[in-house]
Amino acid sequence: MASVTAPPISRHDAAKWIPLAVFLVALAVRVTFVLLHPRPLVSDELDYDQLGWTLATTGRLETDGHPTAYHMPGYPAFVAATYALFGRSLGALGIVQGVIDSVTAVLLTLLVPRTQPRAALGLGLTWAFLPAAVLFSSQMFTETVFVFGLVGLTVLLSRARTFSSSAACAVGAILGGLILIRPVAAILILVVPLLVPPRSARIRLLLISFACVPLVLWTVRNALVMHKFVLATFLGVNLLIANHPGATGSYSVQSVPRVNARGEAATDSASFQVAMHQIGKNPGDFLERGGRKLLLLLISEGELEVGHFSPKAHDTSARYLEKLRAVPAWLHLLVSLPTALVLILGSFGLATRAHDRTDTIFAALAIGTVVSVLFFIGSSRYRFPLMPFLALFSTEFLADARSRLAGVRPLRLVLACGFSLLVIVVWVVEFYLAHP
């Protein structure tokens, strides 16, 4: 009897299973965490829950029966859609966001060249198991949905060879939606049209127009129901919270001066004027606070850990470090060390990679984040949209570290080393203060 030999499985055939494998692993991790770790709502989650439920049941974005623009409408609309389908359940929302974040892990694999299936698998699994990504997907915050849209936008731009009118409309609509979730994405309007191939003025104009349509509609809505053309009514308030004489740099409403104004829009406008007066009067204090707030971008995932694991999370009288001390040191390290590795390796990956559309988007978003933190509130939470890019850069670097380091410019290597050293120093000091 003649023997039959099965054809070997090629690398290309194996690579076909990577997206499905990454999705299933990421989803299993997230669903398991949501089911095993139920938790009450805290901080902005309470606002998003109320806004989402009101929008789902009445069709209006209101707080206590009054129209509001204090939060951008993108994420409350997502929460409302989830509530309309599954009821008012944080668990259901966590599972839906788990599905979305698992798709994000798959989308990240598409940013890796098809000739590097192992790197694609490594990147997908990195996001699947990254503790920060898992924890954020179970919270009622904007991060998971925003990162999903951001990575999807990056995939469309990085893989495109030509750009049709319909593709330009889709990218513009995604960009407009991202801005309605987090205004920091507005900086991408200056960058994304320049990345579109072919470089047609008509295509670029179409993209910008579709990005602006949801913003115009939202602004018109505010003009009709709040009698003022504004994109949001939190900018002035948060500017004052971050820059009044007793400000710490993080979010705290203690000792914030009161403004004489009635109504949400008027209060925001008056707060903006008071804040700008304080900045102009004390520019040195503004710069000093700005430096401290930038350091908050580099601290560990302690804020995330406090929200999930600290028994003092709801104690408004306790300060951050006191709440973090209530988190076991081993848990603090388990959640935060993977982020530290991504930050450090990602900086070397960025320093040693060839310039392309992906790092242009990363650079624009990083600049927007830094400027936003300088003027407003500092938090490690605000670096999360940069993490998928840094995870990509980390994977690329580990896949070919020796040749990359051999060809890197010395200045870039020095900057990567300096950034890594700063991250290590900040984390060591924070860990010592939290767990002396």
Side-chain angles (χ1 to χ4, degrees):
M1 179 179 295
S3 62
V4 178
T5 302
I9 298 176
S10 67
R11 178 181 296 185
H12 178 72
D13 292 333
K16 291 180 180 179
W17 293 96
I18 289 177
L20 179 60
V22 167
F23 175 81
L24 292 177
V25 170
L27 184 61
V29 171
R30 282 149 181 77
V31 171
T32 300
F33 183 79
V34 168
L35 295 179
L36 296 181
H37 185 66
R39 45 177 292 276
L41 299 173
V42 296
S43 185
D44 286 350
E45 291 179 300
L46 297 168
D47 292 341
Y48 288 130
D49 171 66
Q50 185 269 324
L51 289 171
W53 183 245
T54 301
L55 185 59
T57 54
T58 69
R60 296 186 295 271
L61 200 65
E62 295 180 341
T63 299
D64 299 325
H66 301 286
T68 181
Y70 188 76
H71 292 281
M72 298 298 284
Y75 188 65
F78 168 79
V79 174
T82 304
Y83 281 175
L85 291 172
F86 304 106
R88 194 175 188 177
S89 167
L90 178 60
L93 183 78
I95 291 175
V96 171
Q97 290 189 160
V99 172
I100 289 174
D101 202 45
S102 300
V103 175
T104 298
V106 173
L107 291 174
L108 282 171
T109 67
L110 301 180
L111 293 175
V112 179
R114 296 176 181 175
T115 56
Q116 301 178 25
R118 289 186 179 179
L121 179 61
L123 176 57
L125 293 179
T126 295
W127 194 259
F129 287 106
L130 186 69
V134 176
L135 296 186
F136 270 123
S137 69
S138 71
Q139 286 187 310
M140 197 178 295
F141 284 139
T142 61
E143 274 71 14
T144 295
V145 178
F146 183 79
V147 164
F148 167 70
L150 182 63
V151 174
L153 179 73
T154 304
V155 169
L156 288 175
L157 290 171
S158 66
R159 295 171 66 91
R161 297 294 177 265
T162 60
F163 234 71
S164 64
S165 297
S166 58
C169 295
V171 169
I174 294 172
L175 181 54
L178 288 174
I179 298 171
L180 288 183
I181 296 174
R182 294 183 72 159
V184 70
I187 195 172
L188 296 179
I189 288 183
L190 304 176
V191 175
V192 169
L194 303 178
L195 304 178
V196 172
R199 301 186 176 185
S200 164
R202 183 181 66 84
I203 293 294
R204 290 176 176 175
L205 183 60
L206 193 61
L207 188 155
I208 294 172
S209 299
F210 268 75
C212 291
V213 165
L215 306 181
V216 171
L217 292 175
W218 172 244
T219 305
V220 170
R221 174 265 183 190
N222 293 338
L224 292 175
V225 302
M226 305 187 71
H227 312 294
K228 190 170 184 178
F229 281 96
V230 291
L231 186 64
T233 58
F234 63 82
L235 298 175
V237 173
N238 283 346
L239 189 67
L240 181 58
I241 291 173
N243 293 284
H244 68 88
T248 62
S250 58
Y251 185 84
S252 175
V253 296
Q254 296 180 1
S255 73
V256 177
R258 297 180 62 87
V259 296
N260 295 321
R262 295 185 62 183
E264 191 175 286
T267 299
D268 186 64
S269 179
S271 297
F272 179 83
Q273 295 176 15
V274 173
M276 292 305 296
H277 174 74
Q278 290 292 339
I279 292 173
K281 182 180 177 182
N282 302 291
D285 291 344
F286 169 74
L287 293 176
E288 188 270 335
R289 276 194 303 268
R292 282 193 280 119
K293 287 187 287 185
L294 289 179
L295 288 178
L296 291 177
L297 282 175
L298 300 180
I299 64 174
S300 73
E301 301 292 0
E303 297 177 25
L304 195 55
E305 296 159 18
V306 164
H308 276 275
F309 306 116
S310 177
K312 297 185 178 182
H314 300 277
D315 186 354
T316 56
S317 63
R319 299 181 68 86
Y320 165 67
L321 284 176
E322 184 180 350
K323 295 179 180 181
L324 185 57
R325 287 190 190 103
V327 177
W330 67 267
L331 186 56
H332 180 38
L333 293 174
L334 180 66
V335 173
S336 290
L337 281 181
T339 294
L341 291 175
V342 170
L343 287 173
I344 292 171
L345 294 174
S347 68
F348 283 96
L350 177 62
T352 57
R353 79 191 308 266
H355 179 71
D356 63 7
R357 297 170 189 165
T358 300
D359 58 40
T360 299
I361 295 173
F362 170 81
L365 190 63
I367 291 171
T369 301
V370 167
V371 172
S372 174
V373 167
L374 279 173
F375 281 90
F376 297 100
I377 298 163
S379 170
S380 60
R381 170 184 168 189
Y382 299 142
R383 71 158 177 255
F384 185 71
L386 302 173
M387 291 301 291
F389 297 95
L390 291 168
L392 169 64
F393 302 156
S394 300
T395 304
E396 292 174 338
F397 178 73
L398 291 175
D400 194 21
R402 182 174 297 179
S403 63
R404 279 172 169 262
L405 288 174
V408 66
R409 294 179 181 179
L411 178 60
R412 287 190 170 192
L413 189 59
V414 168
L415 291 175
C417 290
F419 175 80
S420 300
L421 181 60
L422 180 60
V423 170
I424 292 171
V425 170
V426 169
W427 283 48
V428 168
V429 170
E430 182 193 16
F431 187 84
Y432 174 77
L433 294 175
H435 305 284

